[in-house]
Every structure is written in structure tokens, then in C-alpha cells.
Amino acid sequence: MFDSAEIGHRIDRATYKAEVPALRAALLDAQYELLRRGTRAVVILINGVDGAGRSETVNTLNAWMDPRHIRTEAFGAMTDEDRRWPEMWRFWQVLPPKGRIGILFGSWYTDPILARVEGRDSRDHFAHRLERIRQFERMLTAEGVVLVKFWFHLSRQAAKARLKALASDPRTAWRIGPQERANLKRYDDFIDASDEALRKTSLGEAPWIVIEGSDEAYRHLTAGRHLLSVLRHAAAPASPVPPQGPLPASVIEAPGDDVTLLKAQDYGRRLTHERYERLLERWQGRLNGLSRDLRLRGRSLVVVFEGMDAAGKGSTIRRLTAAWDARFYRVVPVAAPNENERAQPYLWRFWRYIPPHGRAVIFDRSWYGRVLVERVEGFCAEADWMRAYGEINAYEEELTEAGVIIVKFWLAITPQEQLRRFREREATPHKQFKITPEDWRNRDKWPQYERAVQDMVDRTSTRVAPWHLVASDDKLWSRIEVLRTLCRRIEQALEQGIPAKRRL
Amino acid sequence: MFDSAEIGHRIDRATYKAEVPALRAALLDAQYELLRRGTRAVVILINGVDGAGRSETVNTLNAWMDPRHIRTEAFGAMTDEDRRWPEMWRFWQVLPPKGRIGILFGSWYTDPILARVEGRDSRDHFAHRLERIRQFERMLTAEGVVLVKFWFHLSRQAAKARLKALASDPRTAWRIGPQERANLKRYDDFIDASDEALRKTSLGEAPWIVIEGSDEAYRHLTAGRHLLSVLRHAAAPASPVPPQGPLPASVIEAPGDDVTLLKAQDYGRRLTHERYERLLERWQGRLNGLSRDLRLRGRSLVVVFEGMDAAGKGSTIRRLTAAWDARFYRVVPVAAPNENERAQPYLWRFWRYIPPHGRAVIFDRSWYGRVLVERVEGFCAEADWMRAYGEINAYEEELTEAGVIIVKFWLAITPQEQLRRFREREATPHKQFKITPEDWRNRDKWPQYERAVQDMVDRTSTRVAPWHLVASDDKLWSRIEVLRTLCRRIEQALEQGIPAKRRL
């Protein structure tokens, strides 16, 4: 969930200065319109990693809008006094009325995550508290409250570098106490617990917005622009339909910053044919051995391939299946749904192919079509693909708990490489069937697809089923990387046993 | 949740025979219309207690409609073979496409409930599976599947009597094996687990319909009429809004059966003044002692009074508070929400008064206004009060887990007694302020309120926070009954400690 918040987003000072005045004016307008209409309350949750600039962002938002109509409250871990009331009581006390904005610095996520990291709460109790939060947020949105859930993120490296910089400067060294050092030590545990919290509470009505925190200009501008889009949405005339939450597209992409997950890949890695052949043999052998591992008899394997047209999904899959006995696996190519499939919930046609224990299925495209092609082409309503992220996370978690090992690959190519391959296909008689006018049309929508991929990874790359983005401009390097990753993921899963098995 | 399915609903043979032909014709029409439209699938879940006639009802529904467009599947506890796939896989295989009806005899509830009763699953794992079901059903309804969740119920007594009758008749004795006898032994455990399942999965979009199973005519007619209303709803032109599930009102009340929970109370119980005074002193003393019980320092108390106008809520509350130190309790009279309150989610104004540990609050009317006056008077949309049952159950569960003891009273009076009290108020100068034109208007809606009370008790009388219906035509008897019940509930809660505390 944090992948795209670790790629070093940055906005230069000049762009920031040029952008801010218009943004501030627009935010103020939207705030007054919200107040005038009085049909919705807006609650902004500020959460994230220590040092990711949460406090500065709260101050900035208050400075950019009219603070007289904003109530800002800070919440930490629960005290003994807090425990005299039911957990959610303290949040109910500060809910803003319709027309107003509430900023919660620390929120109903803070204590559950800390309690989990500190070992105060069992795994099950943590899950129970997250479920309570989900019900609470569903109820709030049904009652007309618009939730904006910001998560400010720092990579481990960035968090460490920040601590070091602060500690070495006598003017700031006082900010670093034993608590801050302890938090850094627990960084991985904190991210694990946060990943679960975000994964399980990413509702269509109230999605998480993860923002990289290290660059102040990027952070403020991204949060501000996102908030603007939400406020405009919230101030629109009330309808009987509950608000579907903020629009994720376009608004998150701050001007002046065009780093995306896909652009951030290193496309330069290459393999010689000779080295490729040697590595291919090695990893196929290992993959073959794994398919016969006795431990796999109580598990099953689902491999998902997604990628732009001509990214090499088919040829990669063939290198993979070449390592296996035909009785072990099945390849499921996924095209547009047929009539029978359209008469069912969208996950139905994938559920059908879920293998029993001891078997594998490879999906050539998958349920992610919902948030890729169906979103970009407008084949389903925004509300539908927005709720799909949460549904897909729940689906993959359910599979995982039943012993399914899920490995998801995005084969990433550059637009230049795609163009080269398209032209090559057109020029090669036996490849011409692979290129259609639709491929060219899809290519025109590259930026929309890139945006959808970024959101998809942000919202569905979880500890349970992470995305593996593989730079695939060089097919040889890409295939080996896929084989290697697949072997490692299977080995890891077999070693760990079935995760999150709750049966006693 | 099962209260109103234990009062002996019954429909005579003649009424049944007169009613069935029209119902069958209407069901067939609705089924064909569903098929013709092809916009929604309907899934009927058949669950409940052994011997409550589930199997016969499945046969009857198939006989009443066109079975060629109905797929009926039976599901029991999971077998080892089932376990080779993720749990929900087997249900995905039998989902009907749009336009069709699926009947699941036994469903995704069967294994979780049995596993809990048989001790195969921990309390936490059970909760986890119910949560998965809730997500699954939410997704299905969002995808256009209409869920009809029937629960056929038998009281312990009725189940026992049935077993005895079957066993003593040589023609039916073969139907009673060791399994059936074992099930009866576990009746209470089964009801406990079922209560939790129904409570936690009673969604606005997919509510539970609990039907008393002992009388075949009542059972079939009630299920059939309910299904008819759902089919008509489902066959209506598709809208972007997901279906809000079956209409609960009126349709459940089968013609020929006018037994309701309120009518089934025994209003004849009376106390002499002498006896009343003696009992009052005794129970007030006990209640006073309880308020000073040291164990209550880590708990708090919420008492809810609801009832028709002039049911005696105020005077009962005074008898109760007379037993307590003024610092211990607070009485919160609840009227129509004011402007500030309307600017917040409806539970907000009640959350504010939730007491800290060691304190008590008495609500004179409560959050149940949502599903009583707001429903009957049309102050909120059907979708809103339909979702309120689940929200209220979650709310009360949350309070309970935080150590709050919730005791809910419905003071039940007959319409005749209400009329007598209204007239008495009009005739008594110092009581005239208590009677307004609105009281007379409410009285005209008695049947609608009676229906709303029945649904409220059916859906929110849970093991966590049961409703106590107290026949109150005699104020003296009613007050003592309230005091006695309150003392017992507090004692019970203090003995048991905080239930469902999941912290390790």
C-alpha cells in the first residue's frame, strides 16, 4: 500500500509558490460553500509515520482555510481516563456538525495500531477493532459525513535519515528522544500493522489516501488538492445516495511532480542470451521442484499476470508452464466477459477457476480488469470500481487464509518499447494477428491506464498479496525476474505455513 | 431475535386454502417478470432449527413457482473435500445468474454455526467468519443479487414436543436418530450461536426474516408472502441504487394470524397496593445496594425505557431513581432532535450521554426512535431505518464490550388502557399538560407502531442486549417487574464480568 509513497515524489519551490495562492483561494471558497449548504460534515483523519510531516500539514490546512470553522483535535493512545468510556466515545464528542470541518490529528486508528505494535492487543482483537472501525465509518458516511483519510508515509530509509539529520543538528537534537528512537526500531512492525489497518478499512466510500511525506511542497500540495476535490464534492447538493468519497484520479497527481510508480522502474536492466539460458534452466528447475514439494499438497497457487498490451505476458507464462507437469496447472486467459459472466457478480468468473489444494492456476489478466480496463473505459460506474479495491483485498485475504499462495505480477514496459513491439508485430506476418486497432486505441489512453495502475498498486499491494512490478523492456531479464520472484514467494509461503489461520 | 417466533403463530386450514391460489399465481407472475427483466438474481437462504419445517418449505416454494428456473442446492457442514477449496468457493459455484432464483437449503451460515456449537471454532474465528459473510453479502447485493434470508424457528419446548411426538409414533420413529437427540441437547448452544450470527449479519440490504416454524400453514404462507414482496421488488426496473432488501412491514403479517408480540403479553397481572408497597421497598433496597457494589466501579449502566404514550415510563423511572444517590445517575428525556442534533449522525445525541464507569444513565425514549417514530412518521427514508437495526446492534455490542450493562424495557399497554389513561388525564387538571393532540394522532397509528415494535424486538433483542417487554396495564405490577428485572440483569452482569472481552 506504500509502494508509490516511497519513490521520492518532489515538487520544486517555484512550482509550489506559483500553485499555492490559487489553491488557497479555491479551498476557502469550497469551505464556505460547504458551510453555506450545511448538508455534509467533513472529517479529515491525519495518520502516518513519525516525521512524515503530519503536524506541519495540519497547520498548513488550518492556515489555508478559515480556522474558525475547523475544529482540530489530537488523539494518541488511550489513557486510563479514556478507558472509563467505550472506545469510540471520545471521537463522538468532537464530530463536527454539518457544514463544518473536523481535523483529527491521530484518530480511531492510532490506538489500535499502537496497541498491536506494542503487543497489547492480540491479532484477533486488532482485527475486531478494525471491523468495528469499518462499521463506524460506514455508518458515518451513510449519515452524510465525508471522511478524508490521509496517511503520510516515509520509507524506512527516509525515516532513518531524518532522525539522523535532526539528531546531529544541535538546534533540533532535542526533538529526538528515546520514544522517537524506539519508534524507528519498530518501523517494520508499525508498517505491518498499518498495512493491515489500511487494507481492511479501505472502503469505496472512505478510501485511504497515502501521501509520501518527505518533501514538504509535494506533501502540502497533494493533500491540499485532494482536499479541494473532496470539499467540492461534499458541498454539492445533497442527494439520497451517500457520497462515494473523493475522486482518486488526477487530483492526487500534484502539478510539478510526474514521478509515477511505472516511470520509477529501472528499464535499463538487460541479460545476454547466454546468461538468460543458463538462468532459465536454473530457475525452471527450481520451480519444477517446488511444484512437487509435498507441502504444496495442502496449499494451492494462483499467479496473476497483468500488464499493458505487448508487455510479454503470454511468452512469460510459457516459460513458467514449461517447468511444470500439465496436470499441475491450468492457464486461464481472461477477455471481456461473455453473456453468462455478465449475469453474475464480477468475481464469479474468477472464483470458478480457483484451484483445489495441490494445484495451480495462472491468470493471463484477472479480476483487476475491474479497476483497469473497466475503470478507464467507463464500463462500470465509479462507485463500483471504487468499492472493488476493498472487495478484491477481502477476496485475496480469504484465498490466502484458505492456503492459496497468490503471486501478482505487473509486467511494466515503456511506451517507447510498446510502440517498437507494435511495429514489429505489424511487420512480422505470423505476429500480425496479435495487433488490432484496439491495441492502438488503448495506447492512446496510456496516461489513464498509468494512473489506474498506480491506484491499483497503492490500494491492493498488501502484505497478504503484494504486487511485483517487473520492468520488462528486456524480455529476457523480465522472464528470469518473474521466475525468481515466483520461486521465492512459493518458498517463503511454504516455510511460513498458512498465515492468519485463526482456528484454535 | 426469536421472541416473536415463540408466541404460537397459527393459521387455520380454511384461511390457508383460501389464500394459497392467489399467492401461487402472484408468485409465478413475479418469477416470470424477474426472468423477463433479467436484471437481478434472487438467492433464498433456508436456515433454522431442526424440525422447523425447512425441507417442507423448500418443497412448497418449488411447487408454487416454476422449478425449471429455480436451482435448489443443499449444504451441510464442510467435508474434507470441501476444504480443498476456500470456504466460499462451493457457494460461488451455484450462484444463480440474473433473472433466476437459487434456493440454498443450508447456506454459508451452516458450517460456521455448527463449528461454533461443536467447539471446532473459537469465538474469535466465528466472529471472523461472520465478518467475512457480511462482506460477501454486501458485495453480492452491490452486484445486484437480492438475498432473502429465512430463519425458521422452534422454541425449545416446541422442538422437544416435536421430537417426542415423532419418536412415539412407529411410522415416524425412524426419523429420530442419535443426531436429532444430540441436536436437541445442544439447543441452547445452537440458539446462542445463531443469535450472534443473526445479530451480526442483519444488514439493511439483507435482513433476516425469522419465521415461527411449528404451524405449517403459517410458515408457508408467511414465507410465500414475504418472498412475493421481494420478487416484486427485485423485478422492478434496475436502478443505480442497490436494492434495500425486502419491505419488512405488513407482508410478514400473514392474513388469518393476528398474534403479535404485544398482543401476546399477559395484561391481567395485578398487584394490591399493600403487596406493591412491600415489594417496592424490597427491590428498591436491593437496587440501592447494587449501585454501591464495588464491581460497578469498572462497569456502567444504561437503562432504556420505551413504550406507547401514557405507558408509565416517567412514573416507573421515578420509582427507580428513588433508590439511588443523585450523583450516581442521570435521566435523559429524549424528544424530537433539535437543530444541533439534526446536524449530526442520529446516534450522536445518545453517545454524548453514555456514562463513564461507575455511573448510570436512564434514557426516557432512546435511539430506538429511529425505528419507531421516525419510521412510522416517515421522518427518515426506509433505507435509513432498515440499516439502523444493524447499526444499533453494533452500537450496543460496542457498549457491552466496554463494560456497559444495557437493560431495555418496553412498557406494553393495551389500546383500551391507553384510552382510559388519556381520558383520565384530560379530566384531571394537573395532568392535562400531559395530553396533547399529538398523543391522539399517534394513537390512530397504533397498528403501524405495533408492527414497528415487533420488527424492533425481532431485530434488536439480542443475547447482548435483550428487550424486556413488561405488561403495564397495571402500573403497580409493572413497576415491580421492572425493578426486579433490572436488579437481576445487573447482578447477572456483575457475576459474569465483561462479556466478549477479547483482549489477551
Side-chain angles (χ1 to χ4, degrees), chain B residues 175-224:
Chain B
R175 291 179 61 182
I176 307 305
Q179 185 63 49
E180 280 67 29
R181 290 187 196 283
N183 285 354
L184 182 62
K185 276 223 180 73
R186 292 180 310 197
Y187 179 90
D188 292 334
D189 294 341
F190 181 78
I191 291 297
D192 274 355
S194 304
D195 180 86
E196 183 171 347
L198 269 62
R199 181 175 83 235
K200 290 189 170 166
T201 58
S202 198
L203 306 174
E205 313 89 290
W208 277 100
I209 308 300
V210 178
I211 298 179
E212 184 162 2
S214 40
D215 181 62
E216 189 178 275
Y218 171 81
R219 185 179 70 230
H220 289 171
L221 219 46
T222 308

Coordinates of all heavy atoms in Angstrom, one line a residue, chain B residues 175-224:
Chain B
R175 N -37.3 -41.4 12.0 CA -36.7 -40.0 11.7 C -35.9 -39.5 12.8 O -35.1 -38.5 12.6 CB -37.8 -39.0 11.3 CG -38.5 -39.4 10.0 CD -39.6 -38.4 9.7 NE -39.1 -37.0 9.6 CZ -40.0 -36.0 9.3 NH1 -41.3 -36.2 9.2 NH2 -39.5 -34.8 9.2
I176 N -36.0 -40.1 14.0 CA -35.3 -39.6 15.1 C -34.1 -40.5 15.4 O -34.2 -41.6 16.0 CB -36.2 -39.5 16.4 CG1 -37.5 -38.8 16.0 CG2 -35.5 -38.9 17.5 CD1 -37.2 -37.4 15.5
G177 N -32.9 -40.1 15.1 CA -31.7 -40.8 15.4 C -30.9 -40.1 16.5 O -31.4 -39.1 17.1
P178 N -29.7 -40.6 16.8 CA -28.9 -40.0 17.8 C -28.6 -38.6 17.5 O -28.5 -37.7 18.4 CB -27.7 -40.9 17.8 CG -27.8 -41.9 16.8 CD -29.1 -41.8 16.2
Q179 N -28.4 -38.3 16.2 CA -28.1 -36.9 15.8 C -29.1 -35.9 16.2 O -28.9 -34.9 16.8 CB -27.9 -36.9 14.3 CG -27.4 -35.5 13.7 CD -26.0 -35.2 14.2 OE1 -25.1 -36.0 14.2 NE2 -25.9 -33.9 14.8
E180 N -30.4 -36.3 16.0 CA -31.5 -35.4 16.3 C -31.6 -35.2 17.8 O -31.8 -34.1 18.3 CB -32.8 -36.0 15.8 CG -33.1 -35.8 14.3 CD -32.1 -36.5 13.4 OE1 -31.6 -37.6 13.9 OE2 -31.8 -36.0 12.3
R181 N -31.3 -36.3 18.6 CA -31.4 -36.2 20.0 C -30.2 -35.3 20.5 O -30.4 -34.4 21.4 CB -31.3 -37.5 20.7 CG -32.6 -38.3 20.5 CD -32.6 -39.6 21.3 NE -33.6 -40.5 20.8 CZ -34.9 -40.4 21.0 NH1 -35.3 -39.4 21.8 NH2 -35.8 -41.2 20.5
A182 N -29.1 -35.5 19.9 CA -27.9 -34.6 20.3 C -28.2 -33.2 20.0 O -27.9 -32.3 20.8 CB -26.7 -35.1 19.5
N183 N -28.8 -32.9 18.8 CA -29.1 -31.5 18.5 C -30.0 -30.9 19.5 O -29.8 -29.7 19.8 CB -29.8 -31.5 17.1 CG -28.8 -31.7 16.0 OD1 -27.6 -31.8 16.2 ND2 -29.3 -31.8 14.8
L184 N -31.0 -31.6 20.0 CA -31.9 -31.0 21.0 C -31.1 -30.7 22.2 O -31.4 -29.7 22.9 CB -33.1 -32.0 21.3 CG -34.1 -31.4 22.3 CD1 -34.7 -30.1 21.7 CD2 -35.2 -32.4 22.6
K185 N -30.2 -31.6 22.6 CA -29.4 -31.4 23.8 C -28.6 -30.0 23.7 O -28.4 -29.3 24.6 CB -28.4 -32.5 24.0 CG -29.0 -33.7 24.7 CD -28.0 -34.2 25.7 CE -28.6 -35.5 26.4 NZ -28.6 -36.6 25.5
R186 N -28.2 -29.8 22.4 CA -27.4 -28.6 22.2 C -28.2 -27.4 21.9 O -27.7 -26.4 21.3 CB -26.3 -28.9 21.1 CG -25.3 -29.9 21.6 CD -24.3 -30.1 20.5 NE -25.0 -30.4 19.2 CZ -24.4 -30.9 18.1 NH1 -23.1 -31.3 18.2 NH2 -25.1 -31.1 17.0
Y187 N -29.6 -27.5 22.0 CA -30.4 -26.4 21.6 C -30.0 -25.0 22.0 O -29.9 -24.1 21.2 CB -31.9 -26.7 22.1 CG -32.9 -25.7 21.6 CD1 -33.6 -25.8 20.4 CD2 -33.1 -24.5 22.4 CE1 -34.5 -24.8 20.0 CE2 -34.0 -23.6 22.1 CZ -34.7 -23.7 20.9 OH -35.6 -22.7 20.5
D188 N -29.7 -24.9 23.3 CA -29.3 -23.6 23.8 C -28.0 -23.1 23.2 O -27.9 -21.9 22.9 CB -29.2 -23.7 25.4 CG -30.5 -23.9 26.0 OD1 -31.6 -23.5 25.4 OD2 -30.6 -24.5 27.1
D189 N -27.1 -24.0 23.1 CA -25.8 -23.5 22.4 C -26.1 -23.1 21.0 O -25.5 -22.1 20.5 CB -24.8 -24.7 22.4 CG -24.3 -25.1 23.8 OD1 -24.5 -24.2 24.7 OD2 -23.8 -26.2 23.9
F190 N -26.9 -23.9 20.3 CA -27.3 -23.6 18.9 C -27.9 -22.2 18.8 O -27.6 -21.4 18.0 CB -28.2 -24.7 18.4 CG -28.6 -24.5 17.0 CD1 -27.7 -24.8 15.9 CD2 -29.8 -24.0 16.6 CE1 -28.0 -24.6 14.6 CE2 -30.2 -23.8 15.3 CZ -29.3 -24.1 14.3
I191 N -28.9 -21.9 19.7 CA -29.6 -20.7 19.7 C -28.6 -19.5 20.1 O -28.7 -18.4 19.4 CB -30.8 -20.7 20.7 CG1 -31.8 -21.7 20.2 CG2 -31.4 -19.3 20.9 CD1 -32.4 -21.3 18.8
D192 N -27.7 -19.8 21.0 CA -26.7 -18.7 21.3 C -25.9 -18.4 20.1 O -25.7 -17.2 19.8 CB -25.7 -19.2 22.4 CG -26.3 -19.0 23.8 OD1 -27.3 -18.3 23.9 OD2 -25.6 -19.5 24.8
A193 N -25.4 -19.4 19.4 CA -24.5 -19.1 18.2 C -25.4 -18.5 17.1 O -24.9 -17.6 16.4 CB -23.9 -20.4 17.7
S194 N -26.6 -18.9 17.0 CA -27.5 -18.4 15.9 C -27.8 -16.9 16.2 O -27.8 -16.1 15.3 CB -28.7 -19.2 15.8 OG -28.4 -20.6 15.6
D195 N -28.1 -16.7 17.5 CA -28.4 -15.3 17.9 C -27.2 -14.4 17.4 O -27.4 -13.3 16.9 CB -28.6 -15.2 19.4 CG -28.9 -13.8 19.8 OD1 -30.1 -13.4 19.8 OD2 -28.0 -13.0 20.2
E196 N -26.0 -14.8 17.7 CA -24.8 -14.0 17.3 C -24.7 -13.8 15.8 O -24.5 -12.7 15.3 CB -23.5 -14.6 17.9 CG -22.3 -13.7 17.6 CD -21.0 -14.1 18.3 OE1 -21.1 -15.0 19.2 OE2 -20.0 -13.6 17.9
A197 N -25.0 -14.9 15.1 CA -24.9 -14.9 13.7 C -25.9 -13.9 13.1 O -25.6 -13.1 12.2 CB -25.1 -16.3 13.1
L198 N -27.1 -14.1 13.6 CA -28.2 -13.2 13.0 C -28.0 -11.7 13.4 O -28.2 -10.8 12.6 CB -29.6 -13.7 13.5 CG -30.3 -14.7 12.6 CD1 -29.5 -16.0 12.5 CD2 -31.7 -15.0 13.1
R199 N -27.6 -11.5 14.6 CA -27.3 -10.2 15.1 C -26.3 -9.5 14.2 O -26.4 -8.3 13.8 CB -26.9 -10.2 16.5 CG -26.6 -8.9 17.2 CD -26.3 -9.2 18.7 NE -24.9 -9.5 18.9 CZ -24.5 -10.6 19.6 NH1 -25.4 -11.5 20.0 NH2 -23.2 -10.8 19.8
K200 N -25.2 -10.2 13.9 CA -24.1 -9.6 13.3 C -24.2 -9.5 11.7 O -23.4 -8.9 11.1 CB -22.8 -10.3 13.6 CG -22.4 -10.1 15.1 CD -21.0 -10.7 15.4 CE -20.5 -10.2 16.7 NZ -19.4 -11.0 17.2
T201 N -25.2 -10.2 11.2 CA -25.3 -10.2 9.8 C -26.7 -9.7 9.3 O -27.1 -9.9 8.2 CB -25.2 -11.6 9.2 OG1 -26.2 -12.5 9.8 CG2 -23.8 -12.2 9.5
S202 N -27.3 -8.9 10.2 CA -28.6 -8.4 9.8 C -28.4 -7.0 9.2 O -28.4 -6.0 9.8 CB -29.4 -8.2 11.1 OG -30.8 -8.0 10.8
L203 N -28.1 -7.1 7.9 CA -27.9 -5.9 7.1 C -29.1 -5.2 6.6 O -30.1 -5.9 6.4 CB -27.0 -6.2 5.9 CG -25.7 -7.0 6.2 CD1 -25.1 -7.4 4.8 CD2 -24.8 -6.1 7.0
G204 N -29.1 -3.9 6.4 CA -30.2 -3.2 5.8 C -30.6 -3.8 4.5 O -31.7 -4.0 4.1
E205 N -29.5 -4.2 3.7 CA -29.8 -4.7 2.3 C -30.2 -6.2 2.4 O -30.8 -6.7 1.4 CB -28.5 -4.7 1.5 CG -27.7 -3.4 1.5 CD -26.7 -3.4 2.7 OE1 -27.1 -3.3 3.8 OE2 -25.5 -3.4 2.4
A206 N -29.9 -6.9 3.5 CA -30.2 -8.3 3.5 C -30.6 -8.7 4.9 O -29.8 -9.3 5.6 CB -29.0 -9.1 3.0
P207 N -31.8 -8.3 5.4 CA -32.2 -8.5 6.7 C -32.6 -10.0 6.9 O -32.9 -10.7 6.0 CB -33.4 -7.6 6.9 CG -34.0 -7.5 5.6 CD -32.8 -7.5 4.6
W208 N -32.6 -10.4 8.1 CA -33.1 -11.8 8.5 C -34.6 -11.7 8.7 O -35.1 -10.8 9.3 CB -32.4 -12.3 9.8 CG -31.1 -12.9 9.5 CD1 -29.9 -12.3 9.7 CD2 -30.8 -14.2 9.0 NE1 -28.9 -13.2 9.4 CE2 -29.4 -14.3 8.9 CE3 -31.6 -15.3 8.6 CZ2 -28.8 -15.5 8.4 CZ3 -31.0 -16.4 8.1 CH2 -29.6 -16.5 8.1
I209 N -35.2 -12.8 8.2 CA -36.7 -12.9 8.4 C -36.9 -14.1 9.2 O -36.7 -15.3 8.7 CB -37.4 -13.1 7.0 CG1 -37.0 -11.9 6.1 CG2 -38.9 -13.1 7.2 CD1 -37.3 -10.5 6.5
V210 N -37.2 -13.9 10.5 CA -37.4 -15.1 11.4 C -38.9 -15.5 11.4 O -39.8 -14.7 11.5 CB -37.0 -14.7 12.8 CG1 -37.2 -15.9 13.8 CG2 -35.5 -14.3 12.8
I211 N -39.1 -16.8 11.1 CA -40.5 -17.3 11.0 C -40.7 -18.4 11.9 O -39.9 -19.4 11.9 CB -40.8 -17.7 9.5 CG1 -40.6 -16.5 8.6 CG2 -42.1 -18.3 9.4 CD1 -40.9 -16.8 7.1
E212 N -41.7 -18.3 12.7 CA -42.0 -19.5 13.6 C -42.4 -20.7 12.8 O -43.2 -20.6 11.8 CB -43.2 -19.1 14.5 CG -43.5 -20.1 15.6 CD -44.3 -19.6 16.7 OE1 -44.6 -18.4 16.7 OE2 -44.6 -20.3 17.7
G213 N -41.8 -21.8 13.1 CA -42.0 -23.0 12.2 C -43.0 -24.0 12.6 O -43.2 -24.9 11.8
S214 N -43.6 -23.9 13.8 CA -44.4 -25.1 14.2 C -45.7 -25.3 13.4 O -46.1 -26.4 13.2 CB -44.7 -25.0 15.7 OG -45.0 -23.7 16.1
D215 N -46.3 -24.2 13.0 CA -47.6 -24.4 12.2 C -47.3 -24.3 10.7 O -46.8 -23.2 10.2 CB -48.6 -23.3 12.6 CG -49.9 -23.5 11.9 OD1 -50.6 -24.5 12.1 OD2 -50.3 -22.5 11.1
E216 N -47.6 -25.3 10.0 CA -47.2 -25.4 8.6 C -47.9 -24.3 7.8 O -47.3 -23.7 6.9 CB -47.6 -26.8 8.0 CG -47.0 -27.0 6.6 CD -47.3 -28.4 6.1 OE1 -46.6 -29.3 6.5 OE2 -48.3 -28.6 5.4
A217 N -49.2 -24.1 8.0 CA -49.9 -23.1 7.2 C -49.3 -21.7 7.4 O -49.1 -21.0 6.5 CB -51.4 -23.1 7.6
Y218 N -49.1 -21.4 8.7 CA -48.5 -20.1 9.0 C -47.1 -19.9 8.3 O -46.8 -18.9 7.7 CB -48.3 -19.9 10.5 CG -47.5 -18.6 10.8 CD1 -48.2 -17.4 10.8 CD2 -46.2 -18.7 11.2 CE1 -47.4 -16.2 11.1 CE2 -45.5 -17.6 11.5 CZ -46.1 -16.4 11.5 OH -45.4 -15.2 11.7
R219 N -46.3 -21.0 8.4 CA -44.9 -21.0 7.9 C -44.9 -20.8 6.4 O -44.2 -19.9 5.9 CB -44.3 -22.3 8.3 CG -42.8 -22.4 8.0 CD -42.3 -23.7 8.4 NE -42.8 -24.8 7.6 CZ -43.3 -25.9 8.1 NH1 -43.4 -26.1 9.4 NH2 -43.7 -26.9 7.3
H220 N -45.7 -21.6 5.7 CA -45.7 -21.5 4.3 C -46.2 -20.1 3.8 O -45.7 -19.5 2.9 CB -46.5 -22.6 3.6 CG -45.8 -23.9 3.8 ND1 -46.3 -25.2 3.5 CD2 -44.5 -24.2 4.2 CE1 -45.5 -26.1 3.7 NE2 -44.4 -25.6 4.2
L221 N -47.3 -19.7 4.4 CA -47.9 -18.5 3.9 C -47.1 -17.3 4.2 O -46.9 -16.4 3.4 CB -49.3 -18.4 4.6 CG -50.5 -17.8 3.8 CD1 -50.5 -18.5 2.5 CD2 -51.8 -18.0 4.6
T222 N -46.4 -17.3 5.4 CA -45.6 -16.2 5.7 C -44.4 -16.1 4.8 O -44.0 -15.1 4.3 CB -45.1 -16.3 7.2 OG1 -46.3 -16.5 8.0 CG2 -44.4 -15.0 7.6
A223 N -43.7 -17.3 4.6 CA -42.6 -17.3 3.7 C -43.0 -16.9 2.3 O -42.3 -16.1 1.6 CB -41.9 -18.7 3.7
G224 N -44.1 -17.4 1.8 CA -44.5 -17.2 0.4 C -44.9 -15.7 0.2 O -44.4 -15.1 -0.8

